[in-house]
Amino acid sequence: MNWAAKFSSRSVSPFRQVDHVPMSNPIETKPAEAERPPGLRWKARFPLLSLIVERLLLSILLLFAVSVLIFGGVEALPGDFATTYLGQSATPQAVANIRSELGLDRPLVTRYVSWLGGALQGDFGTSWASRNSVSEQVGRRLGNSLFLAGFAALIAVPLAVGLGMLSVHFRNRMPDKIINVLSLAAISLPEFFIGYLLILYFAVNFGIATFPATVYEGMGFLERLQTIALPTATLVLVVLAHMMRMTRAAILSVMSSAYMETAELKGLSAARSIVKHAAPNALAPIINVVALNLAYLVVGVVVVEVVFVYPGMGQYMVDAVTVRDMPVVQACGLIFAAVYILLNMLADILAIVANPRLRHPR
Amino acid sequence: MPELSTALLSVRNLKIEATSYPPGEPPKRITIVDGVSFDLAKGKVLGLIGESGAGKSTIGLAALAYGRGGAEITGGEVKLNGTDILALGKGGIRKVRGARVCYVAQSAAAAFNPAHKLGDQVIEASVKHGLMSRDEARKRALYLFRVLGLPNPETFGNRFPHQVSGGQLQRAMTAMALCPNPELIVFDEPTTALDVTTQIDVLAAIKHAIEETRTAALYITHDLAVVAQISDDIMVLRYGKTVEYGPVQQIIEAPRQDYTQALVNVRQAIRHEAADQSRPLLSVDHVSAQYSNGFKVLHDVSLHLCRGQTLAIVGESGSGKSTLARVITGLLPPSDGHISFDGKPLTPSLKRRSRDELRRIQLIYQMADTAMNPRQTVRDIIGRPLTFYDGLRGAAKTAKVKELLEQIEMGTGFIDRYPAELSGGQKQRVAIARALAARPELILCDEPTSALDPLVAEGILKLLAKLQEDQQLSYVFITHDIAIVRAIADSVAVMHRGRLVRFGPKSQALSPPFDDYTDLLLKSVPEMKLGWLEQVLATRRMESAGN
Amino acid sequence: MRLREIPITAWVGIFGILLAIFCALFAPWVAPFGETEVVGGVWQEADAQFFFGLDNLGRDILSRLIFGARTTLFVAFAATLVSFSLGIVLSFIAAVSGGLIDTVFSRFNDLMMSIPTLIFALVVLAVLPQHILILILVMAVLDSTRVYRLGRAVALDVAVMEFVEAARLRGEGTTWIIFREILPNTLSPLLAEFGLRFAFAILFLSTLSFLGLGIQPPTADWGGMVKDNKDGIIFGIAAALVPGSAIAALCICVNLVVDWLLKRTSSLKGGRGDA
């Protein structure tokens, strides 16, 4: 069975998994079953479970590889941090001192192992710039970032799916064309442009929103919501168009399938056709679209945080990059990658679970 | 022809149009069906037959007042028990579809919703139209599963579409259509996608079920021999118009129109068998082959072919017949045994073969569409082997391409066309010319005619026969169609599940005594005569695999 | 291809792209003032002399916009070109060779793609010295992963076609198969993808510059101009929105052309244009 391999490669196209499950003709596969090597039988009997386990293992492997890439890649690239840290005029002695202080004189592998070991226990070391614990900062800021992204998702997902359905319903007619042009424009706008546009109008000219979006500990929930109104709106606008276009494509491919024609030729009402026949099959691709865009959202948060001076992970990372504060850069990079990988894994697993061919094996 | 007063379905002057959007051209209006009229009485079966593009499916769907892919019914009337269903509103037509008129699609695998159990889908229309309660519908479904000969009818409905075979799905679709007890069922090529030995069982099941339930049917197919087994009347269609319409017996035994006569007489013998020679051109010795995943596809196959002759390899899909061709070409080197060509051993792997070895064996594919690069002109397609093998260029190459175009009876005017600008038959001719350009001694033909309409296919077969005569070509002809084998072969190999079950000169291979599989295969091929189906079911020895 | 068949939206896109290219090529002659020339007060309002007003240092925004087109277009185009060459060559080699080469390339590509592009760029740019060549290479390498994925999929679609097998059976070499059989059949989707990648490169470069990691001052580039003028927003000064609009307008233009190319491709294949 080669769809195991197909599933394992992470894909951005939401329909690929569904499309690649072969519409197999059982007559042809019968002889194959009889002569299949014994090791594959477990896979054949529990395709769902084995695919999920496979996907989980793959994600763990991927995370590990990413940690090597982020740590090792950074170390292998040219540029001496100690010199950067002290400035060009530093004496060789000072450079040597700072190298040993930062632990840069130890072998690469030793440093990687202790870094990864620390990271697994939630300890990302000390910031070079502020001498504070990285984990402490990350802990607070990650919560802020997830709150912002999560709230944006809460608004964007139903809106995108709704607009996608609307677009399919009015397919090739005026509302669909308008939505198409607008979404095409929306995916062309840089995040910071949307952000400043909103600030100029809503915070400066009309004065109905706050800027900058400063949140602090012990802030009331409603006040917090009010503060993040503009960054949320920016994120929603950024992700909406993508999600809407992908949803539309996902629904269209289901609506144009032969079984929808069968439903129509059975004389079923439009409502029943959609609820009973289209929805169960459109669910998997839509879930996939949503999860993939959530991953995108987590990254989009970086720029939006800088625009709105929002104390999240993105701002933290960008600041650290500017001053070359490597422990912070590595920690943020790893965490962003981890969130991204996990959301993608979730997307794939939900798509696997939603596929009736895998849920009900022969 | 049935009386007007008793007509269940009465179609008058039907006209169906669609807008086509050819790339790079302004949209244009095309007429798919033009002025078709017929009557169908209660409990009778009308067969609609024609080539692809004849408009037969479109007519069938018009009986449900449905236009597929932008087709619009723009004229005429479709009366069901005296009511013009084209005049009904959306709500009105919904009450007809799935209740009084039902539809069986060509590909049941795509037409069933993968997310629901078969049983639920079979009874859905009956229950939703309020024709029967859920329990009654279940009972009727069970009865229909039995009538249609489905295995384990009690539990069959609990299975999902991907869990049953293609032949079973097609029968389940028939059960779904019969369940609401409709007055009319439209069968749209229900057996075309099935293997020949499975087709006969599904055909028999459908025939039995519509007789048992006394439902009228429109049976759409491109195969006159199939429709002859099941219909009371036949309408022959071409280019959206009626060619001939009459009782089945008249159409089959005394066709009036030239086109119908050609359809009835298709594939009469073209070639008489030549004698076996002592030194074969191609000889396959105890060859086995397996895929890289270890799955064995060929088991110990031995056969041979003499120069200037045709070896036909027959079998169903999955029998290994195409794999054997791939082994001969070197695409899949044999895991065991060897092949010799013109007395010398043939290099097993394609990559190691010399240019001359490659030149002497050419392949013609089933789908000429995908076998030619759509971005190359006919000149490039036919000219490349001339340059590649013989170093021809410029005027010499053009002259040779033109000569080859004449040989395939196409004329030199086609030289600068792209494949997309050719018809199906023309594409296959160009593919033949490309093979000829290499001056081959052996041509492997992998079902070269099975994607073509019968009359076009016959033209291709005649061309191949003529070329064989002129140039002493040898063919390995892979097919699932026994009629073609009878028409063109000198020797015959029958394959089943990767094994050779029969090999010999045509006169011996196709005469009794038969082994069980060859018996089944031979008896499964529809013959152009009335009552053939019943006769076969009564006499065959082995059940088909698709059950 | 007749000119009349190009839809009006595509014309708008083509016009916008040509305008930007014109500005980039003839910037010193078109621009009323110099790139870094201080010609008046900080954030001076727009008037007849200064069409878009002046920026945070008193430089003419229109002139910087025209000079910025140079940098932005050049870097984005160079990055796209490199990313495309890299992605296409590697993906076609993978698709045609198959086996171990394909597996190794594809798995490594999956790994690269499992880190979000912006995050990856931030990590790498934190280490590397700031130089325009390095910026182009980083953008190109990161983006080539997307090109690779599409290129491999498209090439595989064509590589399994029987005419490619026919060429193999004839004895043709890999070069012929890639350049004569596969490439001509993948040009349309690849051209559309080139447009998409180019639009993405413009956005990505602008984002990096906006974050202070792209083009370094005083060279004008559109993303950097937004960064320079962002503090004016709080005072109601829209100077930052002018380069922002330019980025958006150029990307919309590219997308309009791509949209038309994609529709054309799918109709050539005989598929539905809207699916």
Side-chain angles (χ1 to χ4, degrees):
Chain A
M1 302 257 140
N2 59 358
W3 10 281
K6 295 253 164 66
F7 271 104
S8 56
S9 62
R10 197 189 60 77
S11 99
V12 171
S13 157
F15 334 110
R16 222 182 71 187
Q17 287 89 351
V18 184
D19 277 351
H20 272 269
V21 174
M23 302 276 285
S24 62
N25 179 352
I27 304 175
E28 287 172 34
T29 53
K30 258 179 196 158
E33 265 163 42
E35 295 183 39
R36 188 182 290 139
L40 288 172
R41 284 218 184 105
W42 189 82
K43 264 189 178 178
R45 201 168 318 152
F46 308 103
L48 189 64
L49 206 60
S50 69
L51 276 177
I52 291 175
V53 169
E54 211 168 282
R55 192 66 189 75
L56 277 170
L57 290 178
L58 186 87
S59 298
I60 293 169
L61 194 72
L62 213 52
L63 260 177
F64 176 72
V66 163
S67 78
V68 172
L69 209 62
I70 285 179
F71 189 87
V74 163
E75 301 291 327
L77 290 169
D80 186 354
F81 300 119
T83 324
T84 317
Y85 189 66
L86 290 173
Q88 292 293 338
S89 56
T91 62
Q93 182 56 42
V95 170
N97 283 345
I98 202 83
R99 281 182 69 87
S100 86
E101 191 188 323
L102 297 176
L104 292 178
D105 52 349
R106 289 184 294 157
L108 191 67
V109 177
T110 322
R111 276 187 289 142
Y112 171 72
V113 170
S114 72
W115 176 72
L116 188 67
L120 286 178
Q121 295 161 29
D123 176 16
F124 287 100
T126 323
S127 156
W128 292 354
S130 66
R131 306 272 168 176
N132 288 335
S133 155
V134 176
S135 312
E136 202 177 289
Q137 282 282 324
V138 162
R140 196 147 34 85
R141 286 166 175 268
L142 183 62
N144 283 346
S145 287
L146 290 180
F147 181 69
L148 180 59
F151 196 61
L154 215 59
I155 296 172
V157 170
L159 206 57
V161 173
L163 280 176
M165 286 177 173
L166 202 70
S167 192
V168 171
H169 185 75
F170 290 104
R171 185 174 154 201
N172 290 341
R173 280 185 280 161
M174 229 7 166
D176 181 32
K177 283 183 178 161
I178 291 172
I179 291 176
N180 181 41
V181 170
L182 285 183
S183 64
L184 197 67
I187 52 175
S188 309
L189 300 182
E191 292 100 330
F192 52 82
F193 179 68
I194 301 177
Y196 286 126
L197 208 61
L198 293 179
I199 293 173
L200 184 66
Y201 282 100
F202 292 98
V204 180
N205 287 358
F206 305 146
I208 49 172
T210 48
F211 175 80
T214 319
V215 290
Y216 47 86
E217 302 264 337
M219 201 176 186
F221 183 69
L222 278 180
E223 198 185 344
R224 195 177 272 251
L225 280 192
Q226 201 190 344
T227 312
I228 64 161
L230 283 189
T232 308
T234 311
L235 272 179
V236 169
L237 286 175
V238 165
V239 84
L240 189 63
H242 272 287
M243 213 184 320
M244 200 286 298
R245 284 171 87 93
M246 286 159 86
T247 311
R248 177 180 183 273
I251 299 177
L252 264 187
S253 87
V254 169
M255 294 302 280
S256 57
S257 58
Y259 54 78
M260 290 307 291
E261 186 183 89
T262 307
E264 191 172 352
L265 291 178
K266 273 181 179 178
L268 302 180
S269 66
R272 187 176 168 87
S273 291
I274 287 170
V275 172
K276 194 80 187 174
H277 289 279
N281 294 293
L283 206 58
I286 289 178
I287 287 174
N288 208 309
V289 168
V290 168
L292 288 173
N293 278 284
L294 289 187
Y296 180 75
L297 207 59
V298 170
V299 181
V301 106
V302 172
V303 177
V304 172
E305 282 176 8
V306 172
V307 169
F308 288 92
V309 204
Y310 181 81
M313 284 278 290
Q315 208 201 21
Y316 191 43
M317 183 172 185
V318 171
D319 287 347
V321 169
T322 336
V323 299
R324 310 206 162 198
D325 187 347
M326 292 326 290
V328 178
V329 173
Q330 286 172 333
C332 291
L334 187 65
I335 290 168
F336 271 119
V339 172
Y340 191 75
I341 289 173
L342 288 179
L343 282 171
N344 274 302
M345 179 190 77
L346 199 69
D348 283 1
I349 289 183
L350 285 175
I352 293 169
V353 172
N355 185 334
R357 286 199 179 79
L358 297 174
R359 215 168 44 224
H360 310 282
R362 296 178 199 294
Chain B
M1 253 172 262
E3 293 286 312
L4 244 178
S5 53
T6 59
L8 166 73
L9 179 72
S10 164
V11 172
R12 284 290 167 273
N13 285 319
L14 189 65
K15 183 166 184 173
I16 302 176
E17 292 178 294
T19 311
S20 83
Y21 301 89
E25 280 173 51
K28 60 182 177 196
R29 202 76 181 148
I30 48 169
T31 305
I32 307 174
V33 175
D34 193 9
V36 168
S37 304
F38 59 83
D39 289 301
L40 177 61
K42 277 198 178 74
K44 294 287 182 185
V45 179
L46 169 66
L48 298 179
I49 173 149
E51 302 170 357
S52 53
K56 50 196 194 301
S57 289
T58 315
I59 296 172
L61 286 166
L64 294 106
Y66 182 81
R68 181 183 280 162
E72 288 167 63
I73 302 169
T74 48
E77 43 179 46
V78 179
K79 280 192 174 160
L80 186 69
N81 268 338
T83 327
D84 188 358
I85 59 168
L86 299 181
L88 294 173
K90 259 192 174 175
I93 193 65
R94 198 181 292 147
K95 288 196 188 98
V96 173
R97 291 177 185 164
R100 296 173 60 195
V101 186
C102 292
Y103 178 73
V104 176
Q106 174 175 350
S107 167
F112 272 113
N113 191 327
H116 298 297
K117 289 178 184 171
L118 285 169
D120 294 340
Q121 300 191 57
V122 166
I123 64 168
E124 183 181 19
S126 317
V127 175
K128 285 298 142 192
H129 284 294
L131 299 172
M132 48 189 93
S133 73
R134 191 162 280 274
D135 278 342
E136 286 166 350
R138 284 228 177 86
K139 266 184 209 137
R140 179 157 172 85
L142 179 59
Y143 158 76
L144 289 169
F145 290 158
R146 283 214 179 92
V147 170
L148 286 157
L150 284 162
N152 308 318
E154 291 80 12
T155 55
F156 184 79
N158 292 332
R159 309 179 77 180
F160 282 85
H162 65 276
Q163 294 172 322
V164 306
S165 73
Q168 290 169 5
L169 268 186
Q170 216 64 49
R171 277 182 263 181
M173 184 121 200
T174 307
M176 183 159 88
L178 282 165
C179 189
N181 224 335
E183 294 155 65
L184 172 68
I185 297 184
V186 178
F187 289 95
D188 193 353
E189 308 238 18
T191 63
T192 305
L194 302 174
D195 259 324
V196 65
T197 55
T198 313
Q199 156 170 306
I200 182 171
D201 290 310
V202 175
L203 194 64
I206 289 175
K207 184 170 187 180
H208 176 58
I210 50 183
E211 273 168 3
E212 177 93 10
T213 53
R214 293 188 198 86
T215 314
L218 277 180
Y219 196 98
I220 298 158
T221 176
H222 65 280
D223 192 334
L224 191 54
V226 164
V227 85
Q229 308 310 318
I230 204 164
S231 303
D232 299 295
D233 294 316
I234 288 180
M235 174 178 275
V236 182
L237 293 152
R238 196 179 200 195
Y239 308 133
K241 291 190 174 136
T242 309
V243 174
E244 192 164 356
Y245 175 33
V248 61
Q249 193 160 8
Q250 177 254 308
I251 297 282
I252 300 296
E253 287 166 8
R256 295 192 188 110
Q257 300 295 322
D258 293 348
Y259 180 65
T260 318
Q261 282 164 6
L263 280 183
V264 171
N265 295 324
V266 81
R267 290 196 298 254
Q268 303 290 329
I270 299 174
R271 182 179 172 83
H272 295 288
E273 183 183 320
D276 216 358
Q277 299 158 9
S278 55
R279 213 188 112 197
L281 175 71
L282 173 82
S283 106
V284 174
D285 247 346
H286 300 285
V287 161
S288 299
Q290 56 188 26
Y291 292 142
S292 53
N293 62 11
F295 175 50
K296 228 170 168 196
V297 275
L298 282 185
H299 304 261
D300 194 26
V301 173
S302 299
L303 41 79
H304 62 266
L305 166 66
C306 300
R307 193 179 287 275
Q309 297 193 0
T310 301
L311 163 66
I313 303 181
V314 262
E316 296 171 71
S317 61
S319 63
K321 58 189 193 303
S322 291
T323 309
L324 183 57
R326 293 174 65 82
V327 171
I328 296 171
T329 58
L331 282 167
L332 181 71
S335 56
D336 235 330
H338 44 85
I339 301 171
S340 56
F341 184 74
D342 200 13
K344 291 182 218 72
L346 196 60
T347 317
S349 162
L350 173 69
K351 282 182 187 151
R352 300 224 175 75
R353 283 194 191 171
S354 70
R355 204 169 267 210
D356 200 52
E357 268 185 302
L358 292 169
R359 181 188 63 74
R360 295 168 78 184
I361 302 178
Q362 293 290 313
L363 182 68
I364 300 172
Y365 292 91
Q366 175 178 3
M367 308 296 287
D369 273 325
T370 54
M372 286 187 279
N373 191 332
R375 304 277 160 163
Q376 293 176 354
T377 59
V378 168
R379 181 200 301 268
D380 298 332
I381 292 168
I382 302 178
R384 180 60 191 168
L386 297 173
T387 311
F388 188 78
Y389 294 122
D390 295 337
L392 288 188
R393 276 167 216 287
K397 179 164 123 182
T398 305
K400 184 73 191 169
V401 170
K402 285 186 174 164
E403 188 191 319
L404 285 162
L405 279 172
E406 296 291 351
Q407 279 184 26
I408 56 165
E409 300 158 3
M410 264 179 67
T412 54
F414 288 93
I415 195 161
D416 286 318
R417 299 259 193 114
Y418 285 93
E421 298 165 322
L422 302 175
S423 72
Q426 288 168 341
K427 278 182 225 172
Q428 200 56 280
R429 281 169 192 260
V430 172
I432 292 171
R434 175 173 67 182
L436 291 178
R439 296 178 289 110
E441 286 154 59
L442 171 65
I443 300 183
L444 307 169
C445 308
D446 191 356
E447 306 237 19
T449 57
S450 62
L452 301 173
D453 288 317
L455 294 184
V456 180
E458 180 150 288
I460 297 285
L461 291 178
K462 282 188 175 145
L463 173 67
L464 286 172
K466 191 189 116 209
L467 293 167
Q468 181 165 48
E469 198 106 317
D470 295 349
Q471 309 187 11
Q472 273 294 295
L473 287 169
S474 309
Y475 297 132
V476 169
F477 201 101
I478 293 160
T479 180
H480 64 274
D481 189 339
I482 300 284
I484 293 183
V485 178
R486 287 211 175 91
I488 64 158
D490 296 298
S491 52
V492 178
V494 181
M495 294 197 63
H496 182 47
R497 296 198 173 174
R499 285 173 210 280
L500 188 70
V501 294
R502 200 173 178 84
F503 173 65
K506 176 168 72 179
S507 51
Q508 289 171 26
L510 298 186
S511 335
F514 292 120
D515 57 285
D516 286 357
Y517 179 72
T518 307
D519 178 66
L520 171 71
L521 191 65
L522 288 179
K523 285 184 174 161
S524 298
V525 181
E527 282 175 34
M528 206 79 74
K529 71 182 189 206
L530 302 182
W532 163 82
L533 183 63
E534 287 71 19
Q535 189 189 328
V536 166
L537 291 175
T539 57
R540 67 178 184 171
R541 282 175 281 174
M542 180 177 159
E543 287 274 307
S544 82
N547 279 319
Chain C
M1 172 55 45
R2 275 154 290 174
L3 291 180
R4 271 187 306 129
E5 285 151 28
I6 304 179
I8 183 109
T9 48
W11 274 121
V12 172
I14 292 171
F15 176 76
I17 295 169
L18 288 180
L19 183 70
I21 293 175
F22 177 79
C23 286
L25 288 179
F26 302 103
W29 296 277
V30 180
F33 301 98
E35 186 176 2
T36 54
E37 193 183 343
V38 176
V39 290
V42 169
W43 283 325
Q44 193 174 312
E45 299 251 329
D47 54 28
Q49 194 188 0
F50 308 119
F51 190 74
F52 284 125
L54 303 185
D55 73 355
N56 62 326
L57 296 176
R59 298 169 294 192
D60 179 40
I61 292 182
L62 177 63
S63 302
R64 280 183 70 75
L65 208 55
I66 292 171
F67 277 102
R70 244 177 187 197
T71 328
T72 306
L73 280 185
F74 169 70
V75 174
F77 188 73
T80 314
L81 210 60
V82 175
S83 116
F84 232 72
S85 319
L86 201 64
I88 293 296
V89 168
L90 291 180
S91 65
F92 275 37
I93 290 176
V96 176
S97 338
L100 190 66
I101 295 178
D102 185 22
T103 311
V104 170
F105 281 15
S106 298
R107 289 297 147 259
F108 184 70
N109 196 61
D110 285 349
L111 173 62
M112 293 283 283
M113 286 185 72
S114 70
I115 306 175
T117 314
L118 181 61
I119 304 298
F120 210 147
L122 287 179
V123 171
V124 175
L125 290 174
V127 186
L128 291 172
Q130 281 176 337
H131 190 276
I132 198 161
L133 206 64
I134 288 176
L135 182 67
I136 291 176
L137 283 180
V138 168
M139 285 175 62
V141 169
L142 291 182
D143 205 42
S144 65
T145 56
R146 269 77 189 166
V147 180
Y148 175 89
R149 200 194 53 201
L150 179 93
R152 183 172 172 275
V154 170
L156 273 185
D157 271 357
V158 180
V160 297
M161 302 278 264
E162 280 160 349
F163 64 81
V164 177
E165 190 181 285
R168 282 210 177 98
L169 285 178
R170 194 157 61 227
E172 305 278 7
T174 308
T175 320
W176 172 280
I177 289 176
I178 288 183
F179 287 98
R180 304 305 284 273
E181 305 286 348
I182 295 182
L183 200 60
N185 286 291
T186 54
L187 274 184
S188 285
L190 290 183
L191 201 62
E193 179 70 6
F194 188 87
L196 274 183
R197 291 337 305 169
F198 182 55
F200 181 78
I202 295 169
L203 284 176
F204 193 51
L205 172 69
S206 305
T207 302
L208 288 178
S209 293
F210 170 74
L211 295 175
L213 299 162
I215 310 289
Q216 296 305 309
T219 310
D221 99 286
W222 295 350
M225 288 172 71
V226 177
K227 178 189 167 69
D228 294 342
N229 293 297
K230 67 180 183 183
D231 295 333
I233 293 282
I234 322 168
F235 310 114
I237 293 160
L241 294 184
V242 176
S245 316
I247 299 165
L250 183 57
C251 286
I252 291 176
C253 287
V254 174
N255 271 322
L256 285 175
V257 177
V258 168
D259 206 44
W260 163 63
L261 283 177
L262 280 176
K263 281 207 174 109
R264 217 180 128 238
T265 314
S266 53
S267 69
L268 274 181
K269 275 191 199 153
R272 291 179 207 87
D274 51 5

